Amino acid sequence: MKIIGVSHPIPTKFAKRIYNDEKTVFVSKSYLGKVFPGDKFIIYESHGAKAYTAWADIKSIGKEKTSLITQKYGNKLMVTKEEFLEYAKGKSEMNVIEFENFEKFKKPVKPKRFVTVAGKYIYEDEFEMIKKNKG
């Protein structure tokens, strides 16, 4: 089955920055490397909704040196510089997903299976289910 995208759990307070403040860069410790620019980045709100609440097209994805991330992405990061430095402690590289064409769903979509901290791939069947139920 074909991978269409990737989902990572995002606490509601950070997800709101994407929705309201037009943040377009997500950073994580885990790297799911089987997705490419043009695939979907699907936001799973890990608090509150506990559901998929939005998606966007992946503009770029890959590991980057932690020391360069805040310089390169600055205000586009969904976390503040202080939050990033705390989160990235001890990591020389982090996974960075830059996205565009963001769309918030009218209705949250509950996943079939729990989305772990490491994130998960979204395959065709789940993608179609999300597409059908997002309102």
Side-chain angles (χ1 to χ4, degrees):
M1 201 170 316
K2 188 171 185 270
I3 295 170
I4 303 288
V6 66
S7 183
H8 284 278
I10 300 175
T12 302
K13 78 173 196 177
F14 299 122
K16 283 182 177 171
R17 294 177 188 173
I18 296 171
Y19 312 151
N20 305 328
D21 303 333
E22 297 178 14
K23 302 297 182 185
T24 57
V25 178
F26 169 80
V27 181
S28 69
K29 295 175 184 174
S30 57
Y31 175 62
L32 298 172
K34 295 180 187 169
V35 289
F36 303 96
D39 288 342
K40 287 286 186 202
F41 172 55
I42 301 171
I43 293 165
Y44 172 79
E45 259 187 62
S46 58
H47 300 106
K50 288 191 171 43
Y52 301 123
T53 54
W55 64 21
D57 297 324
I58 295 173
K59 189 173 169 181
S60 66
I61 181 169
K63 291 183 177 183
E64 299 206 27
K65 292 208 177 308
T66 303
S67 57
L68 302 176
I69 292 173
T70 54
Q71 293 167 15
K72 184 172 178 180
Y73 298 103
N75 267 352
K76 292 197 245 170
L77 283 172
M78 60 175 240
V79 290
T80 64
K81 188 174 183 175
E82 294 73 27
E83 289 164 342
F84 174 75
L85 293 173
E86 182 63 32
Y87 180 62
K89 259 192 187 138
K91 294 279 182 196
S92 62
E93 287 185 330
M94 300 283 284
N95 176 44
V96 177
I97 300 175
E98 188 173 14
F99 54 89
E100 59 191 357
N101 305 322
F102 171 80
E103 179 194 343
K104 189 168 189 324
F105 300 161
K106 288 182 180 74
K107 294 187 329 205
V109 179
K110 296 279 183 197
K112 289 177 187 159
R113 288 180 305 285
F114 177 72
V115 179
T116 68
V117 174
K120 74 173 197 175
Y121 291 115
I122 303 294
Y123 292 89
E124 285 171 299
D125 59 342
E126 190 165 16
F127 179 78
E128 289 305 320
M129 184 275 296
I130 295 167
K131 198 159 101 174
K132 197 173 83 190
N133 293 297
K134 69 183 181 68

